[in-house]
Amino acid sequence: MTESEVDANEQIFWMYTAFNVSNITETYSNPFDELRAGKDLVRQLAWLIGVLYAAVFMVGTLGNALIVITVACNKSMQNVTNYFIANLAASDFIMCIFCIPWTVVNSLMDNWIFGDVMCRLVPTIQAISVFVSITSHVVIASDRYCMITYPLKPRLTRAICFVIIALSWTSATALAIPITYFTKEYDLRVYGYHIVCYEMWPSEVPKKVYEIILILLGYLIPLTVIITLYGRISYVITSRVLPGVFTEAQERQDLKKKQKTNRLLIAVVMTFTICWFPMYMIRIITEINPKVFSGEYHDLVFFICHWFAMSSTVYNPFVYAWLHEKYRRRLKSAFVAKCFRRSSIYRQHSKEGVATTHLQTRDYVTNSPKSTRFSSMRSLKGVDTV
């Protein structure tokens, strides 16, 4: 290990310790004892943490993968709105793959075992997928706003839709470049600790500026835009009166549809707000005072906030797709029909073969009696005339 690496490790040791350990108190005479107490508390709840994250991982990956595959394989679903929903599902799928297993394993083991390359790659992909997921919410809200508020205006073309999707991934990648640059693996075993994957900036000022940018672009501004757009959509739907004369039953049905739409809009806003609020709140508080959530309960608080954020990958497919009857019908037609396509074709051919046989037999039987009956009638007619 070179002298520069030793100095860097020593610097990261003091920064890491200062960030994760509070001041020495009467309870803990050694700051590392406080860290280890927090790790022991998490290990005691490891089974519960594993079950909660496993549920989010399985449901999130399966639900989002089904959305992407369904839109990709079903031509009738390939429109602008569904492309945006599929983009959201793709980012949530990547989030499940790169945010859940790596974070849980690293936190429970309290040791980074995946090497320096993955130390840079994993948090970068995490940041990209999170930012694309959040921007997808804004794009979907904007698309719905334009579609409902201005129904006579032409919709976005597929080319523009793909440009918007590409820009979301490009901007997310550009925003994540500092994480890739400043994140590195550090070996703290010489200080009696473990190998850590840590994001170390040259000074606190640029780091705080970057955190503020992430909080603004990743939560506060998108939340404001989503609430504004969906609030406007709700107002337009509620106040809009369809032309024509309606019966009482039709009015009730129209009111029921409006209430259902409003509930879906509220569900979108509440899901986004509640899921991401704890994670961004802890980031804001940590930037103000890093020692508020440090020490014995730091890891446990982080797991709770992180699980809420990751659970959004489970709710999004239900809110944007599964609750819509049209989507469920097309999903069944896209998958169930294809799963049984071979057997259905076989049954269809079998039925056609049987039907052809019956048809030929029926034609033969039908034609024969007709000639026989005709001959018989002639015979009977002749007998009668005699």
Side-chain angles (χ1 to χ4, degrees):
M1 185 179 294
T2 63
E3 184 177 353
S4 60
E5 290 178 343
V6 172
D7 294 339
N9 287 344
E10 184 175 359
Q11 182 182 2
I12 191 65
F13 167 73
W14 290 111
M15 291 184 65
Y16 185 85
T17 306
F19 181 80
N20 289 279
V21 181
S22 61
N23 296 327
I24 300 177
T25 62
E26 297 179 357
T27 307
Y28 301 100
S29 57
N30 189 324
F32 276 108
D33 292 338
E34 189 175 354
L35 263 181
R36 294 188 180 96
K39 303 299 180 183
D40 292 339
L41 179 61
V42 169
R43 290 190 185 98
Q44 292 174 6
L45 300 174
W47 64 272
L48 179 60
I49 294 173
V51 170
L52 292 176
Y53 273 100
V56 170
F57 179 80
M58 290 187 292
V59 178
T61 52
L62 179 61
N64 289 289
L66 284 177
I67 291 177
V68 175
I69 295 172
T70 302
V71 174
C73 297
N74 194 344
K75 290 185 178 180
S76 62
M77 297 190 67
Q78 293 177 1
N79 54 54
V80 172
T81 300
N82 286 333
Y83 282 141
F84 288 142
I85 294 176
N87 185 56
L88 171 64
S91 62
D92 284 348
F93 178 82
I94 296 174
M95 194 190 307
C96 286
I97 298 296
F98 281 91
C99 288
I100 295 179
W102 306 84
T103 302
V104 173
V105 172
N106 179 53
S107 298
L108 291 179
M109 292 185 63
D110 192 26
N111 189 24
W112 183 260
I113 61 174
F114 305 109
D116 186 63
V117 174
M118 296 306 296
C119 176
R120 297 175 183 269
L121 184 62
V122 169
T124 302
I125 297 178
Q126 288 180 358
I128 293 173
S129 61
V130 169
F131 189 74
V132 171
S133 177
I134 292 172
T135 54
S136 296
H137 284 283
V138 178
V139 171
I140 293 172
S142 303
D143 177 63
R144 287 180 170 177
Y145 172 78
C146 295
M147 181 175 58
I148 294 175
T149 308
Y150 307 104
L152 300 180
K153 288 189 176 181
R155 297 288 309 280
L156 294 176
T157 62
R158 292 190 178 185
I160 297 178
C161 170
F162 293 146
V163 168
I164 293 174
I165 292 175
L167 285 176
S168 68
W169 286 93
T170 304
S171 59
T173 303
L175 194 64
I177 288 177
I179 296 177
T180 310
Y181 185 78
F182 293 112
T183 302
K184 188 179 178 183
E185 181 187 76
Y186 296 94
D187 191 350
L188 303 182
R189 288 176 293 184
V190 67
Y191 303 102
Y193 206 65
H194 305 288
I195 299 175
V196 298
C197 180
Y198 192 71
E199 180 185 335
M200 185 177 72
W201 289 65
S203 63
E204 286 297 315
V205 175
K207 181 181 179 181
K208 289 184 179 298
V209 172
Y210 182 68
E211 286 292 333
I212 292 173
I213 293 174
L214 289 182
I215 292 170
L216 289 175
L217 297 180
Y219 186 71
L220 295 179
I221 294 178
L223 180 61
T224 304
V225 173
I226 290 172
I227 292 176
T228 302
L229 292 177
Y230 282 142
R232 177 62 180 169
I233 291 173
S234 178
Y235 173 77
V236 170
I237 291 175
T238 305
S239 59
R240 179 178 293 171
V241 179
L242 297 178
V245 179
F246 287 91
T247 63
E248 186 177 350
Q250 289 174 328
E251 290 181 354
R252 286 199 302 268
Q253 186 178 4
D254 182 60
L255 179 61
K256 189 175 181 181
K257 288 182 179 179
K258 291 179 179 179
Q259 291 175 345
K260 181 179 179 181
T261 303
N262 286 331
R263 285 196 295 268
L264 287 174
L265 297 179
I266 293 173
V268 171
V269 174
M270 294 301 294
T271 299
F272 181 83
T273 305
I274 294 175
C275 288
W276 286 102
F277 178 79
M279 196 67 188
Y280 280 98
M281 183 55 62
I282 191 177
R283 295 183 72 165
I284 294 174
I285 295 176
T286 302
E287 286 303 316
I288 298 174
N289 186 0
K291 299 177 182 179
V292 172
F293 292 111
S294 61
E296 184 176 358
Y297 299 102
H298 174 271
D299 287 349
L300 185 60
V301 172
F302 170 78
F303 269 123
I304 295 173
C305 298
H306 187 263
W307 184 87
F308 267 101
M310 294 301 101
S311 67
S312 65
T313 61
V314 174
Y315 309 135
N316 287 339
F318 285 96
V319 172
Y320 284 103
W322 301 106
L323 293 180
H324 296 271
E325 183 180 354
K326 187 177 181 181
Y327 182 88
R328 291 198 301 270
R329 286 200 311 266
R330 292 184 177 180
L331 180 66
K332 289 180 181 179
S333 64
F335 280 93
V336 177
K338 288 184 179 180
C339 290
F340 296 97
R341 185 178 180 182
R342 188 171 299 175
S343 59
S344 299
I345 293 175
Y346 174 77
R347 287 196 301 268
Q348 184 177 358
H349 283 306
S350 300
K351 289 179 180 179
E352 289 176 356
V354 173
T356 304
T357 305
H358 284 302
L359 182 60
Q360 293 174 350
T361 305
R362 187 178 61 189
D363 290 341
Y364 174 78
V365 172
T366 305
N367 291 334
S368 298
K370 282 183 180 179
S371 58
T372 306
R373 185 172 63 250
F374 182 71
S375 304
S376 303
M377 289 299 293
R378 283 192 303 175
S379 302
L380 290 173
K381 187 176 180 179
V383 170
D384 289 341
T385 57
V386 170

Coordinates of all heavy atoms in Angstrom, one line a residue, residues 49-96:
I49 N -35.7 -8.1 8.6 CA -35.3 -7.3 7.5 C -35.2 -8.1 6.2 O -35.6 -7.7 5.1 CB -33.9 -6.7 7.8 CG1 -34.0 -5.7 9.0 CG2 -33.3 -6.0 6.6 CD1 -32.7 -5.2 9.5
G50 N -34.7 -9.4 6.3 CA -34.6 -10.2 5.2 C -35.9 -10.5 4.5 O -36.1 -10.5 3.3
V51 N -36.9 -10.8 5.4 CA -38.3 -11.1 4.9 C -38.9 -9.9 4.2 O -39.5 -10.1 3.1 CB -39.2 -11.6 6.1 CG1 -40.6 -11.7 5.6 CG2 -38.7 -13.0 6.6
L52 N -38.8 -8.8 4.8 CA -39.4 -7.5 4.2 C -38.7 -7.2 2.9 O -39.4 -6.9 1.9 CB -39.2 -6.4 5.2 CG -40.1 -6.5 6.5 CD1 -39.7 -5.3 7.4 CD2 -41.5 -6.5 6.2
Y53 N -37.4 -7.3 2.8 CA -36.7 -6.9 1.6 C -37.0 -8.0 0.5 O -37.1 -7.7 -0.7 CB -35.3 -6.8 1.8 CG -34.9 -5.3 2.2 CD1 -34.7 -5.0 3.5 CD2 -34.7 -4.3 1.3 CE1 -34.3 -3.7 3.9 CE2 -34.4 -3.1 1.6 CZ -34.2 -2.8 2.9 OH -33.8 -1.5 3.3
A54 N -37.0 -9.3 0.9 CA -37.3 -10.4 0.0 C -38.7 -10.2 -0.7 O -38.8 -10.4 -1.9 CB -37.2 -11.7 0.7
A55 N -39.7 -9.8 0.1 CA -41.0 -9.6 -0.4 C -41.0 -8.5 -1.4 O -41.6 -8.6 -2.5 CB -42.0 -9.3 0.7
V56 N -40.4 -7.4 -1.1 CA -40.3 -6.2 -2.0 C -39.5 -6.7 -3.3 O -39.9 -6.3 -4.4 CB -39.6 -5.0 -1.4 CG1 -39.3 -3.9 -2.4 CG2 -40.5 -4.5 -0.3
F57 N -38.4 -7.4 -3.1 CA -37.6 -7.8 -4.3 C -38.4 -8.7 -5.2 O -38.4 -8.5 -6.5 CB -36.4 -8.5 -3.8 CG -35.5 -9.0 -4.9 CD1 -34.6 -8.1 -5.5 CD2 -35.5 -10.3 -5.3 CE1 -33.7 -8.5 -6.5 CE2 -34.6 -10.7 -6.3 CZ -33.8 -9.9 -6.9
M58 N -39.1 -9.7 -4.7 CA -39.8 -10.7 -5.6 C -41.0 -10.0 -6.3 O -41.1 -10.1 -7.5 CB -40.2 -11.9 -4.7 CG -39.0 -12.8 -4.3 SD -39.6 -14.3 -3.5 CE -40.3 -13.6 -2.0
V59 N -41.8 -9.3 -5.5 CA -43.0 -8.7 -6.1 C -42.6 -7.6 -7.0 O -43.2 -7.4 -8.1 CB -43.9 -8.2 -5.0 CG1 -45.1 -7.5 -5.6 CG2 -44.4 -9.3 -4.1
G60 N -41.6 -6.8 -6.7 CA -41.2 -5.7 -7.5 C -40.6 -6.1 -8.8 O -40.9 -5.6 -9.9
T61 N -39.7 -7.1 -8.8 CA -39.0 -7.6 -10.0 C -40.1 -8.2 -10.9 O -40.1 -8.0 -12.1 CB -37.9 -8.5 -9.7 OG1 -38.4 -9.6 -8.8 CG2 -36.7 -7.8 -9.1
L62 N -40.9 -9.1 -10.3 CA -41.9 -9.8 -11.1 C -42.9 -8.8 -11.7 O -43.2 -8.9 -12.9 CB -42.6 -10.8 -10.3 CG -43.7 -11.6 -11.0 CD1 -43.1 -12.4 -12.2 CD2 -44.4 -12.6 -10.0
G63 N -43.5 -7.9 -10.9 CA -44.5 -7.0 -11.4 C -44.0 -6.1 -12.5 O -44.6 -5.9 -13.5
N64 N -42.8 -5.5 -12.3 CA -42.3 -4.6 -13.3 C -41.8 -5.3 -14.5 O -41.9 -4.8 -15.6 CB -41.1 -3.8 -12.7 CG -41.6 -2.8 -11.6 OD1 -42.2 -1.8 -12.0 ND2 -41.3 -3.0 -10.4
A65 N -41.3 -6.5 -14.4 CA -40.8 -7.3 -15.6 C -42.1 -7.6 -16.4 O -42.0 -7.6 -17.7 CB -40.1 -8.5 -15.1
L66 N -43.2 -8.0 -15.8 CA -44.4 -8.3 -16.6 C -44.9 -7.1 -17.4 O -45.3 -7.2 -18.5 CB -45.5 -8.8 -15.6 CG -45.3 -10.2 -15.1 CD1 -46.5 -10.5 -14.1 CD2 -45.4 -11.2 -16.2
I67 N -44.8 -5.9 -16.8 CA -45.2 -4.7 -17.5 C -44.4 -4.5 -18.7 O -44.9 -4.2 -19.8 CB -45.2 -3.5 -16.6 CG1 -46.3 -3.6 -15.5 CG2 -45.4 -2.2 -17.3 CD1 -46.3 -2.5 -14.5
V68 N -43.0 -4.6 -18.5 CA -42.1 -4.3 -19.7 C -42.3 -5.4 -20.8 O -42.4 -5.0 -22.0 CB -40.7 -4.4 -19.2 CG1 -39.7 -4.2 -20.4 CG2 -40.4 -3.2 -18.2
I69 N -42.4 -6.6 -20.4 CA -42.6 -7.7 -21.4 C -44.0 -7.6 -22.1 O -44.1 -7.8 -23.3 CB -42.5 -9.1 -20.7 CG1 -41.0 -9.2 -20.2 CG2 -42.8 -10.2 -21.7 CD1 -40.8 -10.5 -19.3
T70 N -45.0 -7.2 -21.3 CA -46.3 -7.1 -21.9 C -46.4 -6.0 -23.0 O -46.9 -6.2 -24.1 CB -47.4 -6.9 -20.8 OG1 -47.3 -7.9 -19.9 CG2 -48.8 -6.8 -21.4
V71 N -45.8 -4.8 -22.6 CA -45.8 -3.7 -23.6 C -44.9 -4.1 -24.8 O -45.3 -3.7 -25.9 CB -45.3 -2.4 -22.9 CG1 -45.2 -1.3 -23.9 CG2 -46.3 -2.0 -21.8
A72 N -43.8 -4.7 -24.5 CA -42.9 -5.0 -25.6 C -43.5 -6.1 -26.6 O -43.2 -6.0 -27.8 CB -41.6 -5.5 -25.1
C73 N -44.3 -7.0 -26.1 CA -44.8 -8.2 -26.9 C -46.2 -7.9 -27.4 O -46.6 -8.7 -28.3 CB -44.7 -9.4 -26.1 SG -43.1 -9.9 -25.5
N74 N -46.9 -7.0 -26.9 CA -48.3 -6.8 -27.3 C -48.3 -5.5 -28.1 O -48.2 -4.4 -27.6 CB -49.2 -6.7 -26.1 CG -50.6 -6.8 -26.5 OD1 -51.0 -6.6 -27.7 ND2 -51.5 -7.1 -25.6
K75 N -48.5 -5.6 -29.5 CA -48.5 -4.4 -30.3 C -49.7 -3.4 -30.0 O -49.6 -2.2 -30.2 CB -48.6 -4.8 -31.8 CG -47.3 -5.4 -32.3 CD -47.4 -5.7 -33.8 CE -46.1 -6.3 -34.3 NZ -46.1 -6.6 -35.7
S76 N -50.8 -4.0 -29.5 CA -52.0 -3.2 -29.2 C -51.7 -2.3 -28.0 O -52.4 -1.3 -27.8 CB -53.2 -4.0 -29.0 OG -53.0 -4.9 -27.8
M77 N -50.7 -2.5 -27.2 CA -50.4 -1.7 -26.1 C -49.2 -0.8 -26.3 O -48.8 -0.1 -25.4 CB -50.0 -2.6 -24.9 CG -51.2 -3.5 -24.4 SD -50.8 -4.3 -22.8 CE -50.8 -2.9 -21.7
Q78 N -48.7 -0.8 -27.5 CA -47.5 0.0 -27.8 C -47.9 1.4 -28.2 O -48.0 1.8 -29.4 CB -46.6 -0.6 -28.9 CG -46.0 -1.9 -28.4 CD -45.2 -2.6 -29.5 OE1 -45.1 -2.2 -30.6 NE2 -44.6 -3.8 -29.1
N79 N -48.2 2.3 -27.2 CA -48.6 3.7 -27.4 C -47.7 4.5 -26.5 O -46.9 4.0 -25.7 CB -50.1 3.9 -27.2 CG -50.5 3.4 -25.9 OD1 -50.0 3.8 -24.8 ND2 -51.6 2.6 -25.9
V80 N -47.8 5.8 -26.6 CA -47.0 6.7 -25.9 C -47.1 6.5 -24.4 O -46.1 6.5 -23.6 CB -47.3 8.2 -26.3 CG1 -46.5 9.2 -25.4 CG2 -46.9 8.4 -27.7
T81 N -48.3 6.5 -23.9 CA -48.6 6.4 -22.4 C -47.9 5.1 -21.9 O -47.3 5.1 -20.9 CB -50.1 6.4 -22.1 OG1 -50.6 7.6 -22.6 CG2 -50.3 6.2 -20.6
N82 N -48.2 4.0 -22.6 CA -47.6 2.7 -22.1 C -46.1 2.6 -22.2 O -45.4 1.9 -21.5 CB -48.3 1.5 -22.9 CG -49.7 1.3 -22.4 OD1 -50.0 1.6 -21.3 ND2 -50.5 0.8 -23.3
Y83 N -45.5 3.4 -23.2 CA -44.1 3.4 -23.3 C -43.5 4.1 -22.0 O -42.5 3.7 -21.5 CB -43.6 4.2 -24.5 CG -43.7 3.4 -25.8 CD1 -44.2 4.0 -27.0 CD2 -43.4 2.1 -25.8 CE1 -44.3 3.3 -28.2 CE2 -43.5 1.3 -27.0 CZ -43.9 1.9 -28.2 OH -44.0 1.2 -29.3
F84 N -44.2 5.2 -21.6 CA -43.7 5.9 -20.4 C -43.9 5.0 -19.2 O -43.0 4.9 -18.3 CB -44.5 7.2 -20.2 CG -44.1 8.2 -21.2 CD1 -45.1 9.1 -21.7 CD2 -42.8 8.4 -21.6 CE1 -44.8 10.1 -22.6 CE2 -42.5 9.4 -22.5 CZ -43.5 10.2 -23.0
I85 N -45.0 4.2 -19.1 CA -45.2 3.3 -18.0 C -44.2 2.2 -18.0 O -43.6 1.8 -17.0 CB -46.6 2.8 -18.0 CG1 -47.6 3.9 -17.7 CG2 -46.8 1.7 -17.0 CD1 -49.1 3.5 -17.8
A86 N -43.8 1.7 -19.2 CA -42.8 0.6 -19.3 C -41.5 1.2 -18.9 O -40.6 0.4 -18.3 CB -42.8 0.1 -20.8
N87 N -41.2 2.4 -19.2 CA -39.9 3.0 -18.8 C -39.8 3.1 -17.3 O -38.7 2.8 -16.7 CB -39.7 4.4 -19.5 CG -38.4 5.0 -19.2 OD1 -37.4 4.5 -19.5 ND2 -38.4 6.2 -18.6
L88 N -40.9 3.5 -16.7 CA -40.9 3.5 -15.2 C -40.7 2.1 -14.6 O -40.0 1.9 -13.7 CB -42.3 4.1 -14.7 CG -42.6 4.0 -13.2 CD1 -41.6 4.8 -12.4 CD2 -44.0 4.4 -12.9
A89 N -41.4 1.1 -15.3 CA -41.2 -0.3 -14.8 C -39.8 -0.7 -15.0 O -39.3 -1.5 -14.1 CB -42.2 -1.2 -15.5
A90 N -39.2 -0.4 -16.1 CA -37.8 -0.8 -16.3 C -36.8 -0.2 -15.3 O -35.9 -0.9 -14.8 CB -37.3 -0.4 -17.7
S91 N -37.0 1.1 -15.0 CA -36.2 1.7 -14.0 C -36.4 1.1 -12.6 O -35.5 0.9 -11.8 CB -36.4 3.2 -13.9 OG -37.7 3.5 -13.6
D92 N -37.7 0.8 -12.3 CA -38.0 0.2 -11.0 C -37.4 -1.3 -10.9 O -37.0 -1.7 -9.9 CB -39.5 0.1 -10.8 CG -40.0 1.5 -10.4 OD1 -39.2 2.4 -10.0 OD2 -41.3 1.6 -10.4
F93 N -37.4 -2.0 -12.0 CA -36.8 -3.3 -12.1 C -35.3 -3.2 -11.8 O -34.8 -4.0 -11.0 CB -37.1 -3.9 -13.5 CG -36.5 -5.3 -13.6 CD1 -37.1 -6.4 -13.2 CD2 -35.2 -5.4 -14.3 CE1 -36.5 -7.7 -13.3 CE2 -34.7 -6.7 -14.4 CZ -35.3 -7.8 -13.9
I94 N -34.6 -2.3 -12.5 CA -33.2 -2.1 -12.2 C -32.9 -1.7 -10.8 O -32.0 -2.1 -10.1 CB -32.6 -1.1 -13.2 CG1 -32.7 -1.6 -14.6 CG2 -31.2 -0.8 -12.9 CD1 -32.3 -0.6 -15.7
M95 N -33.8 -0.9 -10.2 CA -33.7 -0.4 -8.8 C -33.8 -1.6 -7.9 O -33.0 -1.7 -6.9 CB -34.8 0.6 -8.5 CG -34.6 1.3 -7.2 SD -36.0 2.3 -6.7 CE -36.3 3.3 -8.2
C96 N -34.7 -2.6 -8.2 CA -34.8 -3.8 -7.3 C -33.5 -4.6 -7.4 O -33.1 -5.1 -6.4 CB -36.0 -4.6 -7.8 SG -37.6 -4.0 -7.4

